[in-house]
Amino acid sequence: MRDISAQEITNVVEKLCVEACSQLPQQMANALKQAEKDEPSPVGRDILAQLVKNADIAANEDVPICQDTGLAVVFADIGQDVHIVGGDFTEAVNKGVHNGYVNGYLRKSSVAEPLFERKNTGDNTPAIIHIRIVPGDKINIRLAPKGAGSENKSRLTMLVPADGVEGVRKAILDAVVAAGPNSCPPMVVGVGIGGNMEMACLLAKRAAARDVGTQNPDQRYAAFEKDLLDMINKTGIGPQGLGGVTTAVAVNVEWAPTHIASLPVAVNINCHAARHAEATI
């Protein structure tokens, strides 16, 4: 059994909040630079050049890539041999988010109640936390701030097995086309297939937070990711929806076992600021 202090968790989360909002992951930055070279549309190339410049300024000046610094989504893999001391894990994470967003001068976008008062909490808490208990004595935290422009274009489609691959393909394409320019392309499209209603959505969110350039370890799904990316980039939506062949830089698919009568498909889109940062304690 290994002791990890709640304060250490807080410190790590605070650092990840600032890093994720100001430092575009290198894989995404590289993908934007490559897209700028490959994009045949002059307008598309100009937009991609501006996005690259924006990311460079944010990194060099340690300021947010986008004014919408999102809700703090935390994926935590906690080793079963970890003993958290000096506090509660959820409280430690929320304290880190508070410190990161307040001390880092990041926009606070969380409201305490969703329908009637919608009063801002003032510190971007509470975080949205997804925990998995895994073997080992470490804690891995991936923090993925998620803005509303892309999040609002999420979609869940409850298909049936008879819909098959073509039905899944259509559900994904329909979601991307409906999102259009409102999700600030070029996108990273996260897809969750299988499980049940809530599992498919969580799979899609995890997929959207995956590193650009990674592939599903199942070669069937890796090939499907490539097929979907080609299909999406043929829509002509292009950078910021102004035309071109760079509508998405990645399609990431995650899957889970499902019911014999179900085929859930969830789509969660990340905008060009596909932000995430990771640390292991």
Tab-separated table of all heavy atoms in Angstrom, residues 116-180:
chain	number	residue	atom	x	y	z
A	116	PHE	N	-32.808	26.981	-13.577
A	116	PHE	CA	-33.525	28.154	-13.095
A	116	PHE	C	-32.599	29.330	-12.772
A	116	PHE	O	-32.612	30.350	-13.445
A	116	PHE	CB	-34.387	27.776	-11.882
A	116	PHE	CG	-35.452	26.767	-12.221
A	116	PHE	CD1	-35.324	25.438	-11.837
A	116	PHE	CD2	-36.568	27.138	-12.958
A	116	PHE	CE1	-36.291	24.500	-12.167
A	116	PHE	CE2	-37.551	26.205	-13.297
A	116	PHE	CZ	-37.414	24.888	-12.901
A	117	GLU	N	-31.766	29.215	-11.762
A	117	GLU	CA	-30.905	30.346	-11.383
A	117	GLU	C	-29.666	30.462	-12.277
A	117	GLU	O	-29.231	31.553	-12.615
A	117	GLU	CB	-30.458	30.214	-9.922
A	117	GLU	CG	-31.567	30.361	-8.920
A	117	GLU	CD	-31.075	30.231	-7.496
A	117	GLU	OE1	-29.918	29.793	-7.288
A	117	GLU	OE2	-31.853	30.569	-6.597
A	118	ARG	N	-29.050	29.313	-12.606
A	118	ARG	CA	-27.834	29.288	-13.415
A	118	ARG	C	-26.788	30.274	-12.891
A	118	ARG	O	-26.206	31.061	-13.638
A	118	ARG	CB	-28.134	29.540	-14.898
A	118	ARG	CG	-28.913	28.427	-15.561
A	118	ARG	CD	-29.014	28.625	-17.065
A	118	ARG	NE	-27.705	28.594	-17.717
A	118	ARG	CZ	-27.103	27.477	-18.138
A	118	ARG	NH1	-27.686	26.301	-17.959
A	118	ARG	NH2	-25.926	27.550	-18.737
A	119	LYS	N	-26.534	30.222	-11.596
A	119	LYS	CA	-25.549	31.107	-10.981
A	119	LYS	C	-24.159	30.502	-11.102
A	119	LYS	O	-23.934	29.345	-10.763
A	119	LYS	CB	-25.899	31.333	-9.509
A	119	LYS	CG	-24.959	32.309	-8.801
A	119	LYS	CD	-25.385	32.518	-7.360
A	119	LYS	CE	-24.430	33.475	-6.649
A	119	LYS	NZ	-24.821	33.669	-5.216
A	120	ASN	N	-23.219	31.302	-11.581
A	120	ASN	CA	-21.840	30.839	-11.758
A	120	ASN	C	-21.225	30.494	-10.409
A	120	ASN	O	-21.369	31.238	-9.435
A	120	ASN	CB	-21.018	31.928	-12.458
A	120	ASN	CG	-19.739	31.380	-13.064
A	120	ASN	OD1	-18.860	30.891	-12.371
A	120	ASN	ND2	-19.625	31.492	-14.378
A	121	THR	N	-20.514	29.348	-10.360
A	121	THR	CA	-19.898	28.938	-9.094
A	121	THR	C	-18.666	29.773	-8.763
A	121	THR	O	-18.182	29.752	-7.630
A	121	THR	CB	-19.485	27.449	-9.131
A	121	THR	OG1	-18.494	27.256	-10.151
A	121	THR	CG2	-20.682	26.561	-9.409
A	122	GLY	N	-18.130	30.477	-9.741
A	122	GLY	CA	-17.027	31.399	-9.493
A	122	GLY	C	-15.648	30.802	-9.521
A	122	GLY	O	-14.655	31.525	-9.464
A	123	ASP	N	-15.545	29.465	-9.635
A	123	ASP	CA	-14.207	28.849	-9.635
A	123	ASP	C	-14.124	27.628	-10.558
A	123	ASP	O	-13.161	26.869	-10.511
A	123	ASP	CB	-13.782	28.464	-8.222
A	123	ASP	CG	-14.698	27.417	-7.578
A	123	ASP	OD1	-15.696	27.008	-8.222
A	123	ASP	OD2	-14.412	27.002	-6.441
A	124	ASN	N	-15.149	27.453	-11.378
A	124	ASN	CA	-15.230	26.344	-12.348
A	124	ASN	C	-15.373	24.967	-11.711
A	124	ASN	O	-15.181	23.949	-12.367
A	124	ASN	CB	-14.038	26.335	-13.311
A	124	ASN	CG	-14.490	26.078	-14.741
A	124	ASN	OD1	-15.357	26.776	-15.262
A	124	ASN	ND2	-13.920	25.075	-15.386
A	125	THR	N	-15.709	24.923	-10.444
A	125	THR	CA	-16.038	23.650	-9.811
A	125	THR	C	-17.556	23.509	-9.784
A	125	THR	O	-18.283	24.504	-9.890
A	125	THR	CB	-15.488	23.579	-8.374
A	125	THR	OG1	-16.161	24.555	-7.552
A	125	THR	CG2	-13.997	23.804	-8.350
A	126	PRO	N	-18.047	22.279	-9.632
A	126	PRO	CA	-17.287	21.045	-9.466
A	126	PRO	C	-16.791	20.485	-10.800
A	126	PRO	O	-17.390	20.717	-11.846
A	126	PRO	CB	-18.306	20.090	-8.840
A	126	PRO	CG	-19.617	20.544	-9.400
A	126	PRO	CD	-19.511	22.049	-9.507
A	127	ALA	N	-15.680	19.766	-10.712
A	127	ALA	CA	-15.181	19.049	-11.877
A	127	ALA	C	-16.088	17.872	-12.194
A	127	ALA	O	-16.843	17.396	-11.340
A	127	ALA	CB	-13.757	18.552	-11.612
A	128	ILE	N	-16.023	17.428	-13.437
A	128	ILE	CA	-16.710	16.196	-13.841
A	128	ILE	C	-15.662	15.091	-13.783
A	128	ILE	O	-14.686	15.109	-14.538
A	128	ILE	CB	-17.310	16.334	-15.239
A	128	ILE	CG1	-18.381	17.432	-15.221
A	128	ILE	CG2	-17.892	15.011	-15.722
A	128	ILE	CD1	-18.903	17.810	-16.573
A	129	ILE	N	-15.838	14.151	-12.868
A	129	ILE	CA	-14.781	13.192	-12.553
A	129	ILE	C	-15.222	11.773	-12.908
A	129	ILE	O	-16.302	11.320	-12.502
A	129	ILE	CB	-14.419	13.255	-11.055
A	129	ILE	CG1	-14.031	14.686	-10.664
A	129	ILE	CG2	-13.275	12.295	-10.731
A	129	ILE	CD1	-13.815	14.882	-9.163
A	130	HIS	N	-14.387	11.088	-13.675
A	130	HIS	CA	-14.608	9.686	-14.029
A	130	HIS	C	-13.460	8.861	-13.447
A	130	HIS	O	-12.302	9.072	-13.814
A	130	HIS	CB	-14.675	9.513	-15.545
A	130	HIS	CG	-15.722	10.359	-16.211
A	130	HIS	ND1	-17.064	10.124	-16.050
A	130	HIS	CD2	-15.615	11.441	-17.018
A	130	HIS	CE1	-17.757	11.021	-16.737
A	130	HIS	NE2	-16.898	11.839	-17.332
A	131	ILE	N	-13.798	7.945	-12.564
A	131	ILE	CA	-12.778	7.178	-11.841
A	131	ILE	C	-12.823	5.711	-12.249
A	131	ILE	O	-13.902	5.112	-12.363
A	131	ILE	CB	-12.997	7.280	-10.316
A	131	ILE	CG1	-12.793	8.727	-9.841
A	131	ILE	CG2	-12.050	6.341	-9.562
A	131	ILE	CD1	-13.148	8.938	-8.380
A	132	ARG	N	-11.640	5.142	-12.484
A	132	ARG	CA	-11.491	3.700	-12.659
A	132	ARG	C	-10.484	3.195	-11.626
A	132	ARG	O	-9.445	3.821	-11.417
A	132	ARG	CB	-11.002	3.358	-14.069
A	132	ARG	CG	-11.978	3.667	-15.169
A	132	ARG	CD	-11.534	3.129	-16.530
A	132	ARG	NE	-10.273	3.710	-16.977
A	132	ARG	CZ	-9.859	3.699	-18.246
A	132	ARG	NH1	-10.622	3.141	-19.183
A	132	ARG	NH2	-8.711	4.243	-18.596
A	133	ILE	N	-10.804	2.080	-10.991
A	133	ILE	CA	-9.864	1.425	-10.080
A	133	ILE	C	-9.072	0.409	-10.891
A	133	ILE	O	-9.647	-0.475	-11.542
A	133	ILE	CB	-10.592	0.732	-8.913
A	133	ILE	CG1	-11.469	1.744	-8.158
A	133	ILE	CG2	-9.581	0.101	-7.972
A	133	ILE	CD1	-10.721	2.920	-7.568
A	134	VAL	N	-7.753	0.566	-10.863
A	134	VAL	CA	-6.876	-0.263	-11.694
A	134	VAL	C	-5.793	-0.896	-10.818
A	134	VAL	O	-5.576	-0.470	-9.678
A	134	VAL	CB	-6.226	0.585	-12.815
A	134	VAL	CG1	-7.299	1.175	-13.723
A	134	VAL	CG2	-5.346	1.681	-12.227
A	135	PRO	N	-5.100	-1.918	-11.319
A	135	PRO	CA	-3.983	-2.486	-10.559
A	135	PRO	C	-2.872	-1.445	-10.364
A	135	PRO	O	-2.716	-0.524	-11.169
A	135	PRO	CB	-3.495	-3.637	-11.442
A	135	PRO	CG	-4.648	-3.972	-12.330
A	135	PRO	CD	-5.352	-2.674	-12.568
A	136	GLY	N	-2.102	-1.609	-9.282
A	136	GLY	CA	-0.934	-0.758	-9.088
A	136	GLY	C	-1.054	0.193	-7.924
A	136	GLY	O	-2.047	0.208	-7.181
A	137	ASP	N	-0.017	1.021	-7.767
A	137	ASP	CA	0.057	1.948	-6.637
A	137	ASP	C	0.276	3.386	-7.105
A	137	ASP	O	0.945	4.177	-6.439
A	137	ASP	CB	1.178	1.531	-5.672
A	137	ASP	CG	2.560	1.560	-6.313
A	137	ASP	OD1	2.652	1.848	-7.524
A	137	ASP	OD2	3.543	1.310	-5.591
A	138	LYS	N	-0.282	3.726	-8.272
A	138	LYS	CA	-0.159	5.074	-8.815
A	138	LYS	C	-1.540	5.638	-9.144
A	138	LYS	O	-2.526	4.894	-9.225
A	138	LYS	CB	0.705	5.074	-10.084
A	138	LYS	CG	2.156	4.667	-9.854
A	138	LYS	CD	2.927	4.677	-11.163
A	138	LYS	CE	4.418	4.394	-10.944
A	138	LYS	NZ	4.653	3.067	-10.368
A	139	ILE	N	-1.583	6.937	-9.334
A	139	ILE	CA	-2.794	7.609	-9.816
A	139	ILE	C	-2.444	8.314	-11.118
A	139	ILE	O	-1.517	9.130	-11.159
A	139	ILE	CB	-3.335	8.637	-8.809
A	139	ILE	CG1	-3.721	7.960	-7.490
A	139	ILE	CG2	-4.533	9.387	-9.395
A	139	ILE	CD1	-4.190	8.940	-6.422
A	140	ASN	N	-3.165	7.995	-12.179
A	140	ASN	CA	-2.998	8.691	-13.449
A	140	ASN	C	-4.188	9.617	-13.650
A	140	ASN	O	-5.341	9.190	-13.536
A	140	ASN	CB	-2.893	7.709	-14.617
A	140	ASN	CG	-2.730	8.418	-15.950
A	140	ASN	OD1	-3.700	8.682	-16.640
A	140	ASN	ND2	-1.496	8.734	-16.304
A	141	ILE	N	-3.896	10.873	-13.918
A	141	ILE	CA	-4.951	11.872	-14.114
A	141	ILE	C	-4.801	12.501	-15.492
A	141	ILE	O	-3.733	13.013	-15.838
A	141	ILE	CB	-4.877	12.972	-13.035
A	141	ILE	CG1	-5.127	12.370	-11.649
A	141	ILE	CG2	-5.901	14.075	-13.328
A	141	ILE	CD1	-4.949	13.347	-10.512
A	142	ARG	N	-5.858	12.427	-16.280
A	142	ARG	CA	-5.917	13.134	-17.562
A	142	ARG	C	-7.029	14.160	-17.447
A	142	ARG	O	-8.188	13.809	-17.206
A	142	ARG	CB	-6.179	12.184	-18.724
A	142	ARG	CG	-6.395	12.906	-20.062
A	142	ARG	CD	-6.296	11.989	-21.254
A	142	ARG	NE	-4.921	11.587	-21.501
A	142	ARG	CZ	-4.367	11.483	-22.708
A	142	ARG	NH1	-5.072	11.770	-23.780
A	142	ARG	NH2	-3.126	11.098	-22.848
A	143	LEU	N	-6.676	15.433	-17.581
A	143	LEU	CA	-7.644	16.512	-17.464
A	143	LEU	C	-7.906	17.079	-18.850
A	143	LEU	O	-6.978	17.462	-19.560
A	143	LEU	CB	-7.113	17.605	-16.523
A	143	LEU	CG	-8.132	18.668	-16.132
A	143	LEU	CD1	-7.940	19.087	-14.682
A	143	LEU	CD2	-8.048	19.900	-17.041
A	144	ALA	N	-9.180	17.088	-19.226
A	144	ALA	CA	-9.568	17.516	-20.575
A	144	ALA	C	-10.644	18.594	-20.480
A	144	ALA	O	-11.840	18.294	-20.447
A	144	ALA	CB	-10.081	16.321	-21.379
A	145	PRO	N	-10.251	19.873	-20.435
A	145	PRO	CA	-11.249	20.951	-20.400
A	145	PRO	C	-12.105	20.913	-21.663
A	145	PRO	O	-11.587	20.839	-22.765
A	145	PRO	CB	-10.393	22.223	-20.346
A	145	PRO	CG	-9.046	21.779	-19.896
A	145	PRO	CD	-8.875	20.397	-20.429
A	146	LYS	N	-13.413	20.980	-21.491
A	146	LYS	CA	-14.321	20.807	-22.635
A	146	LYS	C	-15.217	22.021	-22.774
A	146	LYS	O	-16.036	22.325	-21.908
A	146	LYS	CB	-15.156	19.540	-22.427
A	146	LYS	CG	-15.878	19.062	-23.684
A	146	LYS	CD	-14.875	18.599	-24.742
A	146	LYS	CE	-15.534	17.764	-25.839
A	146	LYS	NZ	-16.546	18.498	-26.604
A	147	GLY	N	-15.044	22.734	-23.878
A	147	GLY	CA	-15.848	23.914	-24.147
A	147	GLY	C	-17.226	23.569	-24.669
A	147	GLY	O	-17.485	22.454	-25.132
A	148	ALA	N	-18.118	24.561	-24.641
A	148	ALA	CA	-19.520	24.309	-24.972
A	148	ALA	C	-19.779	24.242	-26.470
A	148	ALA	O	-20.697	23.546	-26.910
A	148	ALA	CB	-20.405	25.377	-24.342
A	149	GLY	N	-18.999	24.966	-27.270
A	149	GLY	CA	-19.272	24.992	-28.702
A	149	GLY	C	-19.256	23.616	-29.327
A	149	GLY	O	-20.144	23.262	-30.121
A	150	SER	N	-18.252	22.826	-28.969
A	150	SER	CA	-18.171	21.462	-29.489
A	150	SER	C	-19.027	20.498	-28.675
A	150	SER	O	-19.664	19.601	-29.222
A	150	SER	CB	-16.717	20.987	-29.513
A	150	SER	OG	-16.128	21.087	-28.231
A	151	GLU	N	-19.057	20.696	-27.352
A	151	GLU	CA	-19.824	19.778	-26.494
A	151	GLU	C	-21.310	19.806	-26.836
A	151	GLU	O	-21.983	18.769	-26.809
A	151	GLU	CB	-19.620	20.150	-25.025
A	151	GLU	CG	-20.271	19.217	-24.027
A	151	GLU	CD	-19.619	17.844	-23.959
A	151	GLU	OE1	-18.582	17.635	-24.619
A	151	GLU	OE2	-20.150	16.986	-23.241
A	152	ASN	N	-21.818	20.988	-27.196
A	152	ASN	CA	-23.240	21.112	-27.519
A	152	ASN	C	-23.631	20.351	-28.781
A	152	ASN	O	-24.817	20.170	-29.052
A	152	ASN	CB	-23.616	22.587	-27.693
A	152	ASN	CG	-23.686	23.328	-26.378
A	152	ASN	OD1	-23.618	22.729	-25.309
A	152	ASN	ND2	-23.797	24.643	-26.438
A	153	LYS	N	-22.644	19.936	-29.560
A	153	LYS	CA	-22.920	19.189	-30.780
A	153	LYS	C	-22.793	17.678	-30.589
A	153	LYS	O	-22.794	16.917	-31.559
A	153	LYS	CB	-21.988	19.663	-31.898
A	153	LYS	CG	-22.191	21.129	-32.262
A	153	LYS	CD	-23.643	21.409	-32.638
A	153	LYS	CE	-23.887	22.866	-32.907
A	153	LYS	NZ	-25.301	23.146	-33.244
A	154	SER	N	-22.692	17.249	-29.340
A	154	SER	CA	-22.659	15.811	-29.055
A	154	SER	C	-23.974	15.167	-29.466
A	154	SER	O	-25.028	15.814	-29.496
A	154	SER	CB	-22.426	15.571	-27.563
A	154	SER	OG	-21.247	16.193	-27.132
A	155	ARG	N	-23.898	13.881	-29.757
A	155	ARG	CA	-25.113	13.183	-30.190
A	155	ARG	C	-25.051	11.718	-29.777
A	155	ARG	O	-24.000	11.077	-29.860
A	155	ARG	CB	-25.272	13.283	-31.700
A	155	ARG	CG	-26.509	12.609	-32.247
A	155	ARG	CD	-26.669	12.816	-33.734
A	155	ARG	NE	-27.043	14.178	-34.077
A	155	ARG	CZ	-27.505	14.539	-35.275
A	155	ARG	NH1	-27.639	13.624	-36.233
A	155	ARG	NH2	-27.833	15.786	-35.533
A	156	LEU	N	-26.177	11.196	-29.325
A	156	LEU	CA	-26.330	9.775	-29.022
A	156	LEU	C	-27.421	9.208	-29.923
A	156	LEU	O	-28.517	9.774	-30.009
A	156	LEU	CB	-26.721	9.562	-27.555
A	156	LEU	CG	-27.114	8.136	-27.157
A	156	LEU	CD1	-25.909	7.199	-27.219
A	156	LEU	CD2	-27.734	8.111	-25.759
A	157	THR	N	-27.110	8.111	-30.606
A	157	THR	CA	-28.091	7.444	-31.465
A	157	THR	C	-28.196	5.989	-31.024
A	157	THR	O	-27.194	5.268	-30.998
A	157	THR	CB	-27.668	7.497	-32.949
A	157	THR	OG1	-27.394	8.851	-33.313
A	157	THR	CG2	-28.758	6.932	-33.843
A	158	MET	N	-29.388	5.581	-30.668
A	158	MET	CA	-29.601	4.198	-30.235
A	158	MET	C	-30.035	3.376	-31.443
A	158	MET	O	-31.217	3.307	-31.791
A	158	MET	CB	-30.635	4.143	-29.115
A	158	MET	CG	-30.240	4.916	-27.861
A	158	MET	SD	-28.694	4.353	-27.112
A	158	MET	CE	-29.170	2.721	-26.518
A	159	LEU	N	-29.067	2.773	-32.095
A	159	LEU	CA	-29.339	1.916	-33.243
A	159	LEU	C	-29.679	0.500	-32.780
A	159	LEU	O	-29.566	0.169	-31.594
A	159	LEU	CB	-28.121	1.876	-34.163
A	159	LEU	CG	-27.646	3.213	-34.753
A	159	LEU	CD1	-26.399	3.002	-35.596
A	159	LEU	CD2	-28.747	3.867	-35.567
A	160	VAL	N	-30.063	-0.318	-33.736
A	160	VAL	CA	-30.258	-1.742	-33.476
A	160	VAL	C	-29.253	-2.503	-34.337
A	160	VAL	O	-28.722	-1.960	-35.316
A	160	VAL	CB	-31.703	-2.179	-33.805
A	160	VAL	CG1	-32.685	-1.484	-32.864
A	160	VAL	CG2	-32.051	-1.886	-35.267
A	161	PRO	N	-28.933	-3.750	-33.979
A	161	PRO	CA	-27.896	-4.478	-34.719
A	161	PRO	C	-28.123	-4.536	-36.226
A	161	PRO	O	-27.158	-4.542	-36.999
A	161	PRO	CB	-27.948	-5.872	-34.095
A	161	PRO	CG	-28.452	-5.643	-32.706
A	161	PRO	CD	-29.420	-4.510	-32.807
A	162	ALA	N	-29.380	-4.544	-36.654
A	162	ALA	CA	-29.671	-4.613	-38.091
A	162	ALA	C	-29.166	-3.380	-38.847
A	162	ALA	O	-28.959	-3.433	-40.060
A	162	ALA	CB	-31.170	-4.778	-38.316
A	163	ASP	N	-28.948	-2.277	-38.141
A	163	ASP	CA	-28.433	-1.073	-38.796
A	163	ASP	C	-26.988	-1.259	-39.261
A	163	ASP	O	-26.559	-0.621	-40.230
A	163	ASP	CB	-28.524	0.132	-37.861
A	163	ASP	CG	-29.956	0.543	-37.604
A	163	ASP	OD1	-30.723	0.637	-38.578
A	163	ASP	OD2	-30.311	0.788	-36.431
A	164	GLY	N	-26.246	-2.107	-38.551
A	164	GLY	CA	-24.918	-2.505	-38.987
A	164	GLY	C	-23.916	-1.371	-39.148
A	164	GLY	O	-24.111	-0.247	-38.665
A	165	VAL	N	-22.845	-1.665	-39.869
A	165	VAL	CA	-21.751	-0.711	-40.065
A	165	VAL	C	-22.243	0.541	-40.777
A	165	VAL	O	-21.864	1.673	-40.428
A	165	VAL	CB	-20.595	-1.366	-40.852
A	165	VAL	CG1	-19.534	-0.335	-41.209
A	165	VAL	CG2	-19.973	-2.499	-40.050
A	166	GLU	N	-23.084	0.370	-41.786
A	166	GLU	CA	-23.564	1.531	-42.538
A	166	GLU	C	-24.411	2.451	-41.656
A	166	GLU	O	-24.359	3.682	-41.784
A	166	GLU	CB	-24.356	1.088	-43.765
A	166	GLU	CG	-23.492	0.515	-44.875
A	166	GLU	CD	-22.352	1.457	-45.261
A	166	GLU	OE1	-22.611	2.671	-45.449
A	166	GLU	OE2	-21.205	0.988	-45.354
A	167	GLY	N	-25.200	1.857	-40.758
A	167	GLY	CA	-25.996	2.669	-39.840
A	167	GLY	C	-25.109	3.460	-38.893
A	167	GLY	O	-25.382	4.640	-38.606
A	168	VAL	N	-24.046	2.832	-38.411
A	168	VAL	CA	-23.096	3.523	-37.533
A	168	VAL	C	-22.411	4.654	-38.288
A	168	VAL	O	-22.286	5.775	-37.797
A	168	VAL	CB	-22.061	2.525	-36.974
A	168	VAL	CG1	-20.966	3.260	-36.213
A	168	VAL	CG2	-22.740	1.498	-36.073
A	169	ARG	N	-21.965	4.353	-39.497
A	169	ARG	CA	-21.295	5.365	-40.317
A	169	ARG	C	-22.216	6.573	-40.545
A	169	ARG	O	-21.788	7.727	-40.435
A	169	ARG	CB	-20.880	4.729	-41.645
A	169	ARG	CG	-20.007	5.629	-42.499
A	169	ARG	CD	-19.627	4.969	-43.802
A	169	ARG	NE	-18.538	4.020	-43.625
A	169	ARG	CZ	-18.637	2.710	-43.783
A	169	ARG	NH1	-19.806	2.175	-44.125
A	169	ARG	NH2	-17.604	1.911	-43.614
A	170	LYS	N	-23.473	6.307	-40.859
A	170	LYS	CA	-24.423	7.391	-41.121
A	170	LYS	C	-24.668	8.227	-39.859
A	170	LYS	O	-24.742	9.464	-39.925
A	170	LYS	CB	-25.743	6.835	-41.627
A	170	LYS	CG	-26.781	7.911	-41.968
A	170	LYS	CD	-28.063	7.311	-42.509
A	170	LYS	CE	-29.049	8.397	-42.944
A	170	LYS	NZ	-29.397	9.323	-41.851
A	171	ALA	N	-24.786	7.572	-38.705
A	171	ALA	CA	-25.033	8.294	-37.453
A	171	ALA	C	-23.887	9.255	-37.147
A	171	ALA	O	-24.105	10.391	-36.698
A	171	ALA	CB	-25.218	7.307	-36.307
A	172	ILE	N	-22.662	8.804	-37.407
A	172	ILE	CA	-21.490	9.644	-37.146
A	172	ILE	C	-21.436	10.800	-38.127
A	172	ILE	O	-21.214	11.957	-37.744
A	172	ILE	CB	-20.210	8.789	-37.209
A	172	ILE	CG1	-20.229	7.735	-36.099
A	172	ILE	CG2	-18.958	9.667	-37.108
A	172	ILE	CD1	-19.217	6.616	-36.282
A	173	LEU	N	-21.637	10.504	-39.405
A	173	LEU	CA	-21.590	11.556	-40.419
A	173	LEU	C	-22.688	12.590	-40.185
A	173	LEU	O	-22.438	13.806	-40.314
A	173	LEU	CB	-21.727	10.947	-41.815
A	173	LEU	CG	-21.606	11.934	-42.983
A	173	LEU	CD1	-20.241	12.602	-42.993
A	173	LEU	CD2	-21.878	11.224	-44.309
A	174	ASP	N	-23.874	12.151	-39.846
A	174	ASP	CA	-24.978	13.074	-39.577
A	174	ASP	C	-24.623	14.023	-38.429
A	174	ASP	O	-24.936	15.226	-38.486
A	174	ASP	CB	-26.254	12.304	-39.231
A	174	ASP	CG	-26.897	11.638	-40.443
A	174	ASP	OD1	-26.457	11.917	-41.579
A	174	ASP	OD2	-27.825	10.828	-40.251
A	175	ALA	N	-23.970	13.498	-37.397
A	175	ALA	CA	-23.591	14.333	-36.246
A	175	ALA	C	-22.571	15.387	-36.651
A	175	ALA	O	-22.665	16.558	-36.255
A	175	ALA	CB	-23.043	13.460	-35.127
A	176	VAL	N	-21.598	14.990	-37.449
A	176	VAL	CA	-20.554	15.922	-37.878
A	176	VAL	C	-21.127	17.000	-38.797
A	176	VAL	O	-20.821	18.191	-38.650
A	176	VAL	CB	-19.409	15.162	-38.580
A	176	VAL	CG1	-18.443	16.136	-39.240
A	176	VAL	CG2	-18.672	14.273	-37.584
A	177	VAL	N	-21.973	16.604	-39.734
A	177	VAL	CA	-22.573	17.571	-40.657
A	177	VAL	C	-23.474	18.541	-39.891
A	177	VAL	O	-23.486	19.752	-40.167
A	177	VAL	CB	-23.354	16.844	-41.766
A	177	VAL	CG1	-24.176	17.828	-42.589
A	177	VAL	CG2	-22.393	16.080	-42.667
A	178	ALA	N	-24.219	18.031	-38.923
A	178	ALA	CA	-25.082	18.896	-38.123
A	178	ALA	C	-24.256	19.879	-37.294
A	178	ALA	O	-24.660	21.027	-37.076
A	178	ALA	CB	-25.965	18.056	-37.207
A	179	ALA	N	-23.085	19.447	-36.841
A	179	ALA	CA	-22.204	20.331	-36.068
A	179	ALA	C	-21.653	21.434	-36.950
A	179	ALA	O	-21.584	22.604	-36.550
A	179	ALA	CB	-21.063	19.518	-35.458
A	180	GLY	N	-21.239	21.069	-38.168
A	180	GLY	CA	-20.749	22.048	-39.133
A	180	GLY	C	-19.715	22.994	-38.562
A	180	GLY	O	-18.799	22.582	-37.849
